[in-house]
Amino acid sequence: MDEHSETRPAPPSPPDVPGPDPAAAAPGTAPLAEPRTRAGRRSLFGGLTSYVRQLGRDVVSVTLGKLVEPAAKPEPSDEAASVATEQQALSDSGYKRVRVLHDMAEKLRGAADNYIAVKLDEIEARVDAKLDHVEERIDHKIVELHEQLRQMRDRELRHRLRLLKITLVFTVLVALLSLGYKWLKGVWFT
Amino acid sequence: MFTELDPFTVFRSTLFLFLAIYAVLTVWSGAWRVRRVLAGTDPSKRLLRTYLAYQVVTVRLRPLAGELLQIGFWSALLVVIWWLHTKV
């Protein structure tokens, strides 16, 4: 689990200036530097993670844009200084609310990243267990086939040796016949 | 000249000749077939050769001891009978 957590990308740090993130406002323009150490299995989950992060950024940017929009409206220039001060106070309170919301959004984003990382680790562990199980079955089948081949080899050797023995027996019989014939010929024709 | 030939000797020599030719041809064709199957540089052939070498090396003679003892007995008997041919 530790080695997987090392390869996870760190959650993005909050920006210094509150407000909508220009990179997040344009979907697809913020590249995620995902380390693809395990391109095979991580590619699917990495794409899913990127999609969820981008979705979160879009939601946060839209929310912040709506909150900032009233404060960014131009004020008429002929207002009095008190009105300007009041507007400044309103603007400051708006920025405070935006900062609080931004901090909360960042915390939620970090929690979501952690949750996704934990889930990815769980899925990876399950996939690893499944692969180990498949490898164990393949190894077991290889051992079984090897044992069958060994038994077939022994049976074939025993069969060949039996054939050789039968050939030798008949050769000995013919040799005995030849010996008897030679002996009889020597006895009768001398 | 042919009247001096022993028919049994002719039969024995002919049988030996045919069986010897048959044995040589059988062993040669089998060896050639095995060589053709095992020849090659691709990994599957190498693996096959390695596995066959492993199978040859790991043959245990203890399960085949009975057959080997009988073959040894019949071979010794054949040698003795052959030797007796020179004494009769």
Side-chain angles (χ1 to χ4, degrees):
Chain A
M1 290 295 178
D2 293 334
E3 65 178 24
H4 306 320
S5 60
E6 288 177 359
T7 58
R8 295 262 182 267
S13 59
D16 296 334
V17 179
D21 190 3
T29 57
L32 294 175
E34 288 272 345
R36 300 196 179 261
T37 56
R38 297 182 180 184
R41 277 178 287 172
R42 289 276 179 95
S43 60
L44 176 63
F45 305 120
L48 183 63
T49 308
S50 304
Y51 178 75
V52 171
R53 283 179 180 161
Q54 192 59 45
L55 189 63
R57 284 197 180 106
D58 292 343
V59 170
V60 169
S61 63
V62 168
T63 306
L64 293 180
K66 285 181 178 178
L67 289 173
V68 169
E69 191 176 0
K73 283 181 181 177
E75 295 297 327
S77 59
D78 54 350
E79 291 285 336
S82 60
V83 176
T85 307
E86 185 180 350
Q87 289 296 330
Q88 183 66 31
L90 285 175
S91 177
D92 290 342
S93 63
Y95 276 120
K96 284 179 182 177
R97 287 195 302 168
V98 167
R99 182 180 292 276
V100 169
L101 283 175
H102 185 270
D103 292 342
M104 288 181 63
E106 288 301 322
K107 286 180 182 177
L108 287 175
R109 190 181 300 162
D113 285 342
N114 291 332
Y115 178 77
I116 290 172
V118 169
K119 283 299 175 187
L120 280 176
D121 286 340
E122 286 180 2
I123 292 170
E124 190 173 356
R126 289 172 62 184
V127 170
D128 286 342
K130 196 69 179 174
L131 285 176
D132 290 342
H133 180 62
V134 170
E135 286 179 0
E136 187 180 351
R137 289 181 64 184
I138 290 174
D139 290 343
H140 181 69
K141 185 56 75 176
I142 287 174
V143 170
E144 189 178 333
L145 284 175
H146 176 69
E147 185 65 24
Q148 284 183 4
L149 275 174
R150 195 184 62 77
Q151 292 176 358
M152 286 172 62
R153 179 200 64 187
D154 289 345
R155 278 201 301 268
E156 181 68 19
L157 275 176
R158 193 173 288 114
H159 177 66
R160 298 278 174 173
L161 289 177
R162 195 169 292 133
L163 288 179
L164 182 60
K165 183 183 70 179
I166 292 170
T167 306
L168 268 174
V169 168
F170 277 97
T171 306
V172 167
L173 287 178
V174 172
L176 278 176
L177 188 64
S178 172
L179 184 65
Y181 174 79
K182 193 173 181 181
W183 179 72
L184 286 177
K185 198 174 91 171
V187 168
W188 286 349
F189 291 100
T190 53
Chain B
M1 170 186 170
F2 289 105
T3 56
E4 297 175 357
L5 283 178
D6 189 353
F8 187 79
T9 306
V10 172
F11 162 73
R12 191 178 59 187
S13 302
T14 308
L15 185 64
F16 174 77
L17 181 66
F18 274 100
L19 288 181
I21 292 174
Y22 172 74
V24 168
L25 286 179
T26 304
V27 170
W28 181 260
S29 65
W32 184 259
R33 200 162 49 240
V34 169
R35 181 195 171 279
R36 202 172 52 190
V37 168
L38 294 181
T41 57
D42 51 334
S44 62
K45 298 285 185 176
R46 285 181 188 158
L47 181 63
L48 181 61
R49 285 197 294 267
T50 305
Y51 189 70
L52 276 180
Y54 167 76
Q55 290 285 351
V56 169
V57 168
T58 56
V59 167
R60 294 288 175 262
L61 297 181
R62 191 173 294 275
L64 309 172
E67 298 289 335
L68 289 175
L69 278 177
Q70 293 181 46
I71 288 172
F73 167 74
W74 288 110
S75 299
L77 189 59
L78 182 62
V79 170
V80 169
I81 293 173
W82 202 331
W83 175 73
L84 284 177
H85 273 74
T86 61
K87 300 299 180 185
V88 174

